[in-house]
PDB file of all heavy atoms in Angstrom:
ATOM      1  N   LEU A 130     179.335  72.123  93.417  1.00 95.00           N
ATOM      2  CA  LEU A 130     179.853  71.349  92.182  1.00 95.00           C
ATOM      3  C   LEU A 130     181.424  71.248  92.262  1.00 95.00           C
ATOM      4  O   LEU A 130     181.960  70.156  92.034  1.00 95.00           O
ATOM      5  CB  LEU A 130     179.518  72.183  90.910  1.00 95.00           C
ATOM      6  CG  LEU A 130     178.012  72.253  90.537  1.00 95.00           C
ATOM      7  CD1 LEU A 130     177.734  73.153  89.363  1.00 95.00           C
ATOM      8  CD2 LEU A 130     177.528  70.825  90.041  1.00 95.00           C
ATOM      9  N   LEU A 131     181.902  72.395  92.557  1.00 93.00           N
ATOM     10  CA  LEU A 131     183.424  72.446  92.500  1.00 93.00           C
ATOM     11  C   LEU A 131     183.972  71.534  93.591  1.00 93.00           C
ATOM     12  O   LEU A 131     185.150  70.989  93.389  1.00 93.00           O
ATOM     13  CB  LEU A 131     183.874  73.781  92.610  1.00 93.00           C
ATOM     14  CG  LEU A 131     183.550  74.652  91.369  1.00 93.00           C
ATOM     15  CD1 LEU A 131     183.959  76.060  91.640  1.00 93.00           C
ATOM     16  CD2 LEU A 131     184.323  74.141  90.138  1.00 93.00           C
ATOM     17  N   ARG A 132     183.317  71.437  94.676  1.00 92.00           N
ATOM     18  CA  ARG A 132     183.861  70.554  95.840  1.00 92.00           C
ATOM     19  C   ARG A 132     183.830  69.120  95.246  1.00 92.00           C
ATOM     20  O   ARG A 132     184.822  68.468  95.546  1.00 92.00           O
ATOM     21  CB  ARG A 132     182.764  70.740  96.993  1.00 92.00           C
ATOM     22  CG  ARG A 132     183.374  70.103  98.291  1.00 92.00           C
ATOM     23  CD  ARG A 132     182.319  70.103  99.295  1.00 92.00           C
ATOM     24  NE  ARG A 132     182.066  71.452  99.941  1.00 92.00           N
ATOM     25  CZ  ARG A 132     180.846  71.945 100.271  1.00 92.00           C
ATOM     26  NH1 ARG A 132     179.768  71.258 100.124  1.00 92.00           N
ATOM     27  NH2 ARG A 132     180.736  73.092 100.720  1.00 92.00           N
ATOM     28  N   GLU A 133     182.729  68.787  94.592  1.00 90.00           N
ATOM     29  CA  GLU A 133     182.797  67.358  94.128  1.00 90.00           C
ATOM     30  C   GLU A 133     183.744  67.115  93.088  1.00 90.00           C
ATOM     31  O   GLU A 133     184.546  66.056  93.094  1.00 90.00           O
ATOM     32  CB  GLU A 133     181.392  67.088  93.508  1.00 90.00           C
ATOM     33  CG  GLU A 133     180.265  66.953  94.422  1.00 90.00           C
ATOM     34  CD  GLU A 133     180.413  65.969  95.571  1.00 90.00           C
ATOM     35  OE1 GLU A 133     181.072  64.933  95.256  1.00 90.00           O
ATOM     36  OE2 GLU A 133     179.972  66.167  96.713  1.00 90.00           O
ATOM     37  N   VAL A 134     184.056  68.034  92.117  1.00 89.00           N
ATOM     38  CA  VAL A 134     185.059  67.923  91.110  1.00 89.00           C
ATOM     39  C   VAL A 134     186.383  67.873  91.659  1.00 89.00           C
ATOM     40  O   VAL A 134     187.204  67.047  91.391  1.00 89.00           O
ATOM     41  CB  VAL A 134     184.839  69.105  90.048  1.00 89.00           C
ATOM     42  CG1 VAL A 134     186.020  69.094  89.139  1.00 89.00           C
ATOM     43  CG2 VAL A 134     183.561  68.947  89.327  1.00 89.00           C
ATOM     44  N   GLU A 135     186.658  68.797  92.595  1.00 86.00           N
ATOM     45  CA  GLU A 135     188.075  68.950  93.108  1.00 86.00           C
ATOM     46  C   GLU A 135     188.372  67.758  94.144  1.00 86.00           C
ATOM     47  O   GLU A 135     189.530  67.319  94.135  1.00 86.00           O
ATOM     48  CB  GLU A 135     188.205  70.181  93.873  1.00 86.00           C
ATOM     49  CG  GLU A 135     188.344  71.380  92.901  1.00 86.00           C
ATOM     50  CD  GLU A 135     188.217  72.758  93.439  1.00 86.00           C
ATOM     51  OE1 GLU A 135     188.021  72.775  94.708  1.00 86.00           O
ATOM     52  OE2 GLU A 135     188.243  73.699  92.768  1.00 86.00           O
ATOM     53  N   GLU A 136     187.434  67.329  94.785  1.00 78.00           N
ATOM     54  CA  GLU A 136     187.756  66.259  95.676  1.00 78.00           C
ATOM     55  C   GLU A 136     188.292  64.983  94.982  1.00 78.00           C
ATOM     56  O   GLU A 136     189.338  64.439  95.314  1.00 78.00           O
ATOM     57  CB  GLU A 136     186.420  65.783  96.392  1.00 78.00           C
ATOM     58  CG  GLU A 136     186.462  64.813  97.498  1.00 78.00           C
ATOM     59  CD  GLU A 136     185.021  64.538  98.007  1.00 78.00           C
ATOM     60  OE1 GLU A 136     184.466  63.686  97.320  1.00 78.00           O
ATOM     61  OE2 GLU A 136     184.588  65.087  98.995  1.00 78.00           O
ATOM     62  N   GLU A 137     187.794  64.875  93.828  1.00 58.00           N
ATOM     63  CA  GLU A 137     188.297  63.761  92.902  1.00 58.00           C
ATOM     64  C   GLU A 137     189.708  63.996  92.460  1.00 58.00           C
ATOM     65  O   GLU A 137     190.536  63.097  92.482  1.00 58.00           O
ATOM     66  CB  GLU A 137     187.396  63.612  91.641  1.00 58.00           C
ATOM     67  CG  GLU A 137     187.700  62.504  90.832  1.00 58.00           C
ATOM     68  CD  GLU A 137     186.898  61.265  91.309  1.00 58.00           C
ATOM     69  OE1 GLU A 137     186.189  61.456  92.181  1.00 58.00           O
ATOM     70  OE2 GLU A 137     187.092  60.247  90.768  1.00 58.00           O
ATOM     71  N   ASP A 138     189.982  65.275  92.198  1.00 52.00           N
ATOM     72  CA  ASP A 138     191.297  65.639  91.669  1.00 52.00           C
ATOM     73  C   ASP A 138     192.390  65.304  92.814  1.00 52.00           C
ATOM     74  O   ASP A 138     193.524  65.014  92.525  1.00 52.00           O
ATOM     75  CB  ASP A 138     191.393  67.096  91.150  1.00 52.00           C
ATOM     76  CG  ASP A 138     190.502  67.276  89.875  1.00 52.00           C
ATOM     77  OD1 ASP A 138     190.160  66.182  89.300  1.00 52.00           O
ATOM     78  OD2 ASP A 138     190.098  68.470  89.693  1.00 52.00           O
ATOM     79  N   VAL A 139     192.069  65.777  93.872  1.00 49.00           N
ATOM     80  CA  VAL A 139     192.887  65.626  94.986  1.00 49.00           C
ATOM     81  C   VAL A 139     193.295  64.060  95.392  1.00 49.00           C
ATOM     82  O   VAL A 139     194.485  63.759  95.423  1.00 49.00           O
ATOM     83  CB  VAL A 139     192.412  66.181  96.429  1.00 49.00           C
ATOM     84  CG1 VAL A 139     193.297  66.087  97.526  1.00 49.00           C
ATOM     85  CG2 VAL A 139     192.058  67.787  96.092  1.00 49.00           C
ATOM     86  N   ASP A 140     192.258  63.413  95.414  1.00 54.00           N
ATOM     87  CA  ASP A 140     192.495  61.906  95.843  1.00 54.00           C
ATOM     88  C   ASP A 140     192.300  60.995  94.596  1.00 54.00           C
ATOM     89  O   ASP A 140     191.135  60.605  94.356  1.00 54.00           O
ATOM     90  CB  ASP A 140     191.302  61.702  96.861  1.00 54.00           C
ATOM     91  CG  ASP A 140     191.340  60.277  97.273  1.00 54.00           C
ATOM     92  OD1 ASP A 140     192.317  59.454  96.989  1.00 54.00           O
ATOM     93  OD2 ASP A 140     190.394  59.785  97.858  1.00 54.00           O
ATOM     94  N   ASP A 141     193.391  60.881  94.036  1.00 54.00           N
ATOM     95  CA  ASP A 141     193.348  60.243  92.737  1.00 54.00           C
ATOM     96  C   ASP A 141     193.698  58.662  92.859  1.00 54.00           C
ATOM     97  O   ASP A 141     193.799  57.950  91.790  1.00 54.00           O
ATOM     98  CB  ASP A 141     194.251  60.889  91.776  1.00 54.00           C
ATOM     99  CG  ASP A 141     193.488  61.075  90.424  1.00 54.00           C
ATOM    100  OD1 ASP A 141     192.343  60.741  90.262  1.00 54.00           O
ATOM    101  OD2 ASP A 141     194.121  61.681  89.518  1.00 54.00           O
ATOM    102  N   GLU A 142     194.205  58.080  94.083  1.00 56.00           N
ATOM    103  CA  GLU A 142     194.704  56.833  94.181  1.00 56.00           C
ATOM    104  C   GLU A 142     193.686  55.665  93.940  1.00 56.00           C
ATOM    105  O   GLU A 142     193.650  55.079  92.908  1.00 56.00           O
ATOM    106  CB  GLU A 142     195.224  56.723  95.526  1.00 56.00           C
ATOM    107  CG  GLU A 142     196.420  57.624  95.761  1.00 56.00           C
ATOM    108  CD  GLU A 142     197.559  57.378  94.808  1.00 56.00           C
ATOM    109  OE1 GLU A 142     198.111  56.203  94.776  1.00 56.00           O
ATOM    110  OE2 GLU A 142     197.998  58.317  94.043  1.00 56.00           O
ATOM    111  N   ASP A 143     192.576  55.764  94.852  1.00 60.00           N
ATOM    112  CA  ASP A 143     191.805  54.717  94.949  1.00 60.00           C
ATOM    113  C   ASP A 143     190.712  54.808  94.048  1.00 60.00           C
ATOM    114  O   ASP A 143     189.412  54.950  94.389  1.00 60.00           O
ATOM    115  CB  ASP A 143     191.347  54.654  96.515  1.00 60.00           C
ATOM    116  CG  ASP A 143     190.422  53.564  96.812  1.00 60.00           C
ATOM    117  OD1 ASP A 143     190.311  52.523  96.125  1.00 60.00           O
ATOM    118  OD2 ASP A 143     189.504  53.890  97.644  1.00 60.00           O
ATOM    119  N   ASN A 144     190.780  54.632  92.642  1.00 62.00           N
ATOM    120  CA  ASN A 144     189.816  54.804  91.714  1.00 62.00           C
ATOM    121  C   ASN A 144     188.969  53.570  91.485  1.00 62.00           C
ATOM    122  O   ASN A 144     189.066  52.789  90.511  1.00 62.00           O
ATOM    123  CB  ASN A 144     190.370  55.256  90.456  1.00 62.00           C
ATOM    124  CG  ASN A 144     190.782  56.720  90.428  1.00 62.00           C
ATOM    125  OD1 ASN A 144     190.374  57.428  91.213  1.00 62.00           O
ATOM    126  ND2 ASN A 144     191.687  57.064  89.490  1.00 62.00           N
ATOM    127  N   ASN A 145     188.046  53.225  92.345  1.00 73.00           N
ATOM    128  CA  ASN A 145     187.159  52.132  92.232  1.00 73.00           C
ATOM    129  C   ASN A 145     185.776  52.450  91.825  1.00 73.00           C
ATOM    130  O   ASN A 145     185.398  53.686  91.830  1.00 73.00           O
ATOM    131  CB  ASN A 145     187.273  51.192  93.383  1.00 73.00           C
ATOM    132  CG  ASN A 145     186.943  52.034  94.713  1.00 73.00           C
ATOM    133  OD1 ASN A 145     186.028  52.954  94.552  1.00 73.00           O
ATOM    134  ND2 ASN A 145     187.669  51.793  95.784  1.00 73.00           N
ATOM    135  N   GLU A 146     185.079  51.509  91.532  1.00 78.00           N
ATOM    136  CA  GLU A 146     183.656  51.698  90.988  1.00 78.00           C
ATOM    137  C   GLU A 146     182.741  52.317  92.173  1.00 78.00           C
ATOM    138  O   GLU A 146     181.942  53.244  91.775  1.00 78.00           O
ATOM    139  CB  GLU A 146     183.103  50.391  90.733  1.00 78.00           C
ATOM    140  CG  GLU A 146     181.773  50.511  89.927  1.00 78.00           C
ATOM    141  CD  GLU A 146     181.479  49.229  89.080  1.00 78.00           C
ATOM    142  OE1 GLU A 146     182.240  49.050  88.024  1.00 78.00           O
ATOM    143  OE2 GLU A 146     180.659  48.488  89.507  1.00 78.00           O
ATOM    144  N   LYS A 147     182.973  52.046  93.275  1.00 83.00           N
ATOM    145  CA  LYS A 147     182.073  52.549  94.453  1.00 83.00           C
ATOM    146  C   LYS A 147     182.372  54.098  94.416  1.00 83.00           C
ATOM    147  O   LYS A 147     181.295  54.860  94.755  1.00 83.00           O
ATOM    148  CB  LYS A 147     182.644  51.991  95.728  1.00 83.00           C
ATOM    149  CG  LYS A 147     181.405  51.801  96.771  1.00 83.00           C
ATOM    150  CD  LYS A 147     181.976  50.935  97.875  1.00 83.00           C
ATOM    151  CE  LYS A 147     181.514  51.586  99.218  1.00 83.00           C
ATOM    152  NZ  LYS A 147     182.286  50.954 100.339  1.00 83.00           N
ATOM    153  N   LYS A 148     183.469  54.431  94.193  1.00 86.00           N
ATOM    154  CA  LYS A 148     183.870  55.929  94.272  1.00 86.00           C
ATOM    155  C   LYS A 148     183.128  56.673  93.182  1.00 86.00           C
ATOM    156  O   LYS A 148     182.569  57.824  93.405  1.00 86.00           O
ATOM    157  CB  LYS A 148     185.384  56.066  94.204  1.00 86.00           C
ATOM    158  CG  LYS A 148     185.789  57.563  94.695  1.00 86.00           C
ATOM    159  CD  LYS A 148     187.309  57.530  94.986  1.00 86.00           C
ATOM    160  CE  LYS A 148     187.999  58.260  93.934  1.00 86.00           C
ATOM    161  NZ  LYS A 148     189.389  58.427  94.031  1.00 86.00           N
ATOM    162  N   TYR A 149     183.222  56.113  91.955  1.00 89.00           N
ATOM    163  CA  TYR A 149     182.542  56.778  90.853  1.00 89.00           C
ATOM    164  C   TYR A 149     181.023  56.800  91.087  1.00 89.00           C
ATOM    165  O   TYR A 149     180.306  57.750  90.678  1.00 89.00           O
ATOM    166  CB  TYR A 149     182.944  56.049  89.551  1.00 89.00           C
ATOM    167  CG  TYR A 149     184.325  56.285  89.128  1.00 89.00           C
ATOM    168  CD1 TYR A 149     185.314  55.153  88.877  1.00 89.00           C
ATOM    169  CD2 TYR A 149     184.865  57.563  88.988  1.00 89.00           C
ATOM    170  CE1 TYR A 149     186.607  55.429  88.414  1.00 89.00           C
ATOM    171  CE2 TYR A 149     186.184  57.818  88.685  1.00 89.00           C
ATOM    172  CZ  TYR A 149     187.001  56.681  88.404  1.00 89.00           C
ATOM    173  OH  TYR A 149     188.410  56.922  87.982  1.00 89.00           O
ATOM    174  N   ASP A 150     180.608  55.715  91.611  1.00 91.00           N
ATOM    175  CA  ASP A 150     179.082  55.679  91.853  1.00 91.00           C
ATOM    176  C   ASP A 150     178.718  56.731  92.798  1.00 91.00           C
ATOM    177  O   ASP A 150     177.768  57.472  92.541  1.00 91.00           O
ATOM    178  CB  ASP A 150     178.768  54.265  92.472  1.00 91.00           C
ATOM    179  CG  ASP A 150     177.283  53.946  92.537  1.00 91.00           C
ATOM    180  OD1 ASP A 150     176.705  53.719  91.456  1.00 91.00           O
ATOM    181  OD2 ASP A 150     176.753  54.235  93.581  1.00 91.00           O
ATOM    182  N   ALA A 151     179.455  56.988  93.801  1.00 91.00           N
ATOM    183  CA  ALA A 151     179.028  58.069  94.818  1.00 91.00           C
ATOM    184  C   ALA A 151     179.185  59.429  94.164  1.00 91.00           C
ATOM    185  O   ALA A 151     178.325  60.335  94.502  1.00 91.00           O
ATOM    186  CB  ALA A 151     180.035  57.895  95.996  1.00 91.00           C
TER     187      ALA A 151
END
Side-chain angles (χ1 to χ4, degrees):
L130 290 172
L131 294 175
R132 192 188 287 143
E133 292 301 331
V134 169
E135 284 169 2
E136 194 181 76
E137 188 87 4
D138 294 343
V139 175
D140 172 19
D141 230 3
E142 294 299 302
D143 173 32
N144 285 340
N145 54 37
E146 191 157 288
K147 214 168 132 197
K148 196 166 113 184
Y149 290 126
D150 191 76

